[in-house]
Amino acid sequence: MAITSANQLELLQTAEAVAREKMIDPDLVIQAMEESLARAAKSRYGSDLDIRVKIDRKTGRATFARIRTVVEDEAVENHHAQITVKQAKSYKSDPQIGDEIIDEVPPVDLGRIAAQSAKQVILQKVREAERDRQYDEFKDRKGSIINGVVKREEYGNIIVDIGRGEGILRRNEKIGRESYRPNDRIRAYIKDVRREARGPQVFLSRTDPQFMAELFKMEVPEIYDGIIEIKAVARDPGSRAKIAVISYDNSIDPVGACVGMRGSRVQAVVNELQGEKIDIIPWNQDQATFLVNALQPAEVSKVVIDEEAGKIEVVVPDEQLSLAIGRRGQNVRLASQLTALDIDIMTEADESARRQAEFAERTNLFMETLDIDEMMAQLLVSEGFTNLEEVAYVDPEELLSIDGFDEDTAAELQARARDHLEEANRKALESARALGLEDSLANFEGLTPQMLEALAKDGIKTLEDFATCADWELAGGWTTVNGQRVKDEGVLEKFDVSLEEAQHLVMTARVMLGWVDPTELETAEEKEETEGEA
């Protein structure tokens, strides 16, 4: 039956029924009907005409109108949809450019093909409205847990009915070898909601660390109320997990609250996660203390933190090594994820051997460069001296405090150390100049001859070359590639140049060359001082 010959109220009733079924605004369905009728009318009267249809929202009567826009005489490109000012005067007393002349045209009866085309337009518009509605509904639920029912499995991915839409649980987001059948109930974490060509996609996950955090929030009222906070989560889905918690109420134990009476709370989470073992760890602001907690159940003897490199060394008793590392490195890997630090684990025996090697290396350095016997070199190392610069420029009183050192001995040691350093500086500068080092960089304050030699070997031979360097190219740094921390070696890193020092040197060079306004350097230094005070 042709749409236009139908009972006019039937249009409104159809729109209401479709809107109720798809849970969208009825007005969107009526707009789709208007567009489909207009397209059918154009196929009847001509595609060059601008025909619009208006359906009365109360009576359902469809009005067909031809629209022509008033344009300048020489601007007419389509006489079917445009009209000159002179021609428009027969319709309006004072037509203006941009006005629209509206003529009602007879309604059209839709043939079979036109009716099919109109139906397709309506369905397309309804689908678009439905997608928009689904996206608006789920976009704000990202990061929460949702319950659904399994509909089907496609290539290992699970399609889940989540009420007013569908979600997809990809095979890599399932725990272990989970398998589901149609109509199974499932609980998952809404990881992402995105608009895509096929409509909004709701991506679900059961392996995301935040899934476990949200489960604890549901099971532990203190977390939901904000009395206890989950500070970090690390998971090896289906096997083991660590969660760090802190309590803002001294009377409440965060670990005990998460475990629950006879383990009831944590057991509910474990059951949902297919038996995943969970270590609940008290969070601590002190990195070393937090790491000791994170490596439980292993015992830790000593922790050494290198904050600049973001690495940490942990010393454990020999018998605790396998426990600290865990099966296939699982325990240390989870602890590393939890603390966001690279962790090196060594036994007390390994650390002792390394200390002895460092002691022997420094002893040999002093024996060779200062021409002293082994006993005297060992005394210097035992007192904390690590390099020639410290011996050469330390206050003589510190050398005199060493047993067996008198004023003559101290003065002779410092003289030998300075002579050796000066000779090393001379050779380094000669080497740098042989590589092409220019005076503009050689005379730059803040760079030692050894630094100049390292720069020249790396192809940095002029002040202009140096000024184009980034701070991390000089001082080194860390970047994350595919989830792994990767070290970027800096040209001056072995000289213990920090990122701040490298930035200051580069900015100073740019100011000297006139590339940067000196006030920018002053502003940067003031900012660093303010941050340091804070």
Side-chain angles (χ1 to χ4, degrees):
M1 181 172 60
I3 292 178
T4 52
S5 65
N7 184 320
Q8 292 174 344
L9 287 174
E10 197 174 307
L11 283 175
L12 298 181
Q13 292 167 356
T14 302
E16 287 283 350
V18 172
R20 265 198 312 275
E21 181 186 349
K22 301 297 185 181
M23 290 174 286
I24 59 176
D25 186 354
D27 195 55
L28 292 172
V29 182
I30 295 175
Q31 288 176 21
M33 289 178 171
E34 289 173 342
E35 188 176 321
S36 64
L37 290 171
R39 182 175 295 187
K42 281 186 179 183
S43 66
R44 165 78 180 275
Y45 293 117
S47 59
D48 291 339
L49 275 65
D50 182 5
I51 294 179
R52 301 175 196 174
V53 178
K54 186 71 176 175
I55 296 176
D56 190 290
R57 287 345 187 227
K58 292 182 179 179
T59 65
R61 181 175 180 271
T63 304
F64 289 70
R66 174 192 180 187
I67 311 296
R68 286 179 291 176
T69 305
V70 179
V71 297
E72 295 178 356
D73 292 355
E74 63 275 7
V76 176
E77 295 178 356
N78 177 6
H79 68 274
H80 294 294
Q82 295 173 328
I83 188 172
T84 66
V85 176
K86 185 177 179 180
Q87 292 170 335
K89 285 182 178 178
S90 59
Y91 296 91
K92 295 180 70 173
S93 57
D94 184 25
Q96 301 293 320
I97 293 173
D99 286 353
E100 291 184 338
I101 307 299
I102 303 173
D103 298 320
E104 191 167 335
V105 297
V108 296
D109 286 336
L110 299 185
R112 183 176 60 81
I113 295 176
Q116 189 67 23
S117 174
K119 181 181 178 183
Q120 290 299 323
V121 171
I122 294 171
L123 289 174
Q124 178 64 26
K125 286 289 183 182
V126 168
R127 275 196 293 267
E128 288 175 4
E130 190 178 10
R131 288 169 183 169
D132 289 340
R133 192 265 310 156
Q134 286 183 17
Y135 177 77
D136 291 338
E137 178 175 345
F138 289 105
K139 68 178 181 180
D140 296 328
R141 297 181 66 181
K142 179 181 175 182
S144 63
I145 287 178
I146 194 166
N147 293 311
V149 177
V150 175
K151 290 184 73 173
R152 63 188 182 277
E153 183 173 349
E154 294 179 354
Y155 308 108
N157 303 323
I158 304 296
I159 307 303
V160 182
D161 183 349
I162 50 177
R164 297 185 178 183
E166 289 183 351
I168 181 169
L169 180 68
R170 296 187 182 279
R171 66 172 74 186
N172 61 324
E173 297 290 349
K174 294 190 291 185
I175 297 174
R177 296 176 180 174
E178 282 183 330
S179 61
Y180 295 97
R181 291 176 296 181
N183 298 321
D184 282 354
R185 298 199 62 79
I186 187 172
R187 182 185 286 181
Y189 176 75
I190 300 179
K191 189 172 184 177
D192 198 8
V193 181
R194 295 200 299 263
R195 287 184 187 271
E196 295 197 351
R198 296 173 56 194
Q201 291 285 319
V202 181
F203 294 95
L204 306 176
S205 174
R206 286 176 55 80
T207 61
D208 193 284
Q210 289 306 311
F211 178 47
M212 187 175 75
E214 290 296 316
L215 287 173
F216 269 105
K217 190 180 292 184
M218 294 170 67
E219 296 293 336
V220 183
E222 291 86 350
I223 296 177
Y224 184 82
D225 294 337
I227 299 170
I228 293 174
E229 182 185 355
I230 297 173
K231 299 291 285 186
V233 183
R235 286 183 67 194
D236 191 350
S239 177
R240 192 169 180 184
K242 291 179 183 283
I243 181 169
V245 291
I246 184 174
S247 173
Y248 295 111
D249 185 337
N250 293 333
S251 64
I252 295 177
D253 171 27
V255 176
C258 292
V259 171
M261 187 73 69
R262 296 180 181 175
S264 58
R265 291 175 175 177
V266 70
Q267 193 58 45
V269 178
V270 169
N271 291 341
E272 180 63 44
L273 300 178
Q274 305 294 322
E276 193 169 308
K277 295 181 177 63
I278 301 174
D279 295 335
I280 303 172
I281 294 159
W283 185 83
N284 196 294
Q285 191 170 5
D286 179 61
Q287 276 188 329
T289 305
F290 180 34
L291 182 62
V292 170
N293 294 339
L295 281 169
Q296 292 177 3
E299 297 175 6
V300 176
S301 302
K302 188 167 71 172
V303 174
V304 181
I305 297 177
D306 183 348
E307 292 183 357
E308 190 172 320
K311 292 187 69 174
I312 195 162
E313 288 182 351
V314 176
V315 181
V316 298
D318 293 13
E319 68 277 6
Q320 293 281 315
L321 180 62
S322 59
L323 191 61
I325 294 173
R327 188 181 61 179
R328 297 177 185 170
Q330 185 183 63
N331 193 54
V332 69
R333 185 172 65 252
L334 290 175
S336 180
Q337 292 174 16
L338 202 68
T339 57
L341 288 167
D342 285 338
I343 302 172
D344 289 335
I345 292 185
M346 62 179 70
T347 63
E348 291 174 345
D350 290 338
E351 196 219 4
S352 175
R354 191 184 67 175
R355 279 205 313 267
Q356 289 175 7
E358 288 177 354
F359 189 89
E361 183 182 345
R362 289 169 186 167
T363 299
N364 289 333
L365 170 69
F366 291 142
M367 287 171 63
E368 292 172 5
T369 57
L370 300 178
D371 192 21
I372 56 178
D373 61 24
E374 185 177 10
M375 180 68 73
M376 186 175 287
Q378 287 177 349
L379 282 172
L380 286 172
V381 177
S382 299
E383 289 297 323
F385 289 94
T386 59
N387 54 55
L388 284 179
E389 286 80 358
E390 291 177 359
V391 176
Y393 303 112
V394 75
D395 187 326
E397 292 297 324
E398 290 196 30
L399 289 172
L400 291 173
S401 65
I402 302 174
D403 287 342
F405 280 45
D406 55 26
E407 291 185 5
D408 291 340
T409 304
E412 179 62 23
L413 282 176
Q414 289 196 306
R416 291 182 185 181
R418 287 169 186 161
D419 288 344
H420 191 279
L421 288 172
E422 287 172 7
E423 179 63 16
N425 289 343
R426 185 186 64 78
K427 288 181 177 178
L429 195 56
E430 282 182 2
S431 172
R433 289 196 179 281
L435 290 167
L437 179 76
E438 295 188 6
D439 289 341
S440 60
L441 187 57
N443 298 328
F444 181 68
E445 190 175 344
L447 297 175
T448 66
Q450 285 79 8
M451 290 180 183
L452 292 170
E453 183 182 26
L455 289 169
K457 285 180 178 177
D458 204 60
I460 302 167
K461 303 172 184 178
T462 67
L463 192 61
E464 287 81 358
D465 294 339
F466 187 75
T468 59
C469 292
D471 51 7
W472 61 268
E473 289 179 298
L474 300 176
W478 293 82
T479 54
T480 302
V481 180
N482 297 326
Q484 298 292 324
R485 287 172 61 81
V486 178
K487 185 74 178 72
D488 292 319
E489 296 293 341
V491 183
L492 303 181
E493 187 172 355
K494 62 182 178 182
F495 302 104
D496 294 328
V497 175
S498 67
L499 277 171
E500 291 76 15
E501 290 169 338
Q503 185 181 43
H504 175 76
L505 289 169
V506 170
M507 288 295 287
T508 302
R510 291 172 184 174
V511 169
M512 290 174 65
L513 292 167
W515 295 0
V516 174
D517 189 329
T519 56
E520 289 186 33
L521 180 60
E522 294 171 6
T523 304
E525 289 178 348
E526 288 172 4
K527 183 179 178 182
E528 284 179 22
E529 289 176 8
T530 305
E531 290 176 350
E533 290 171 2

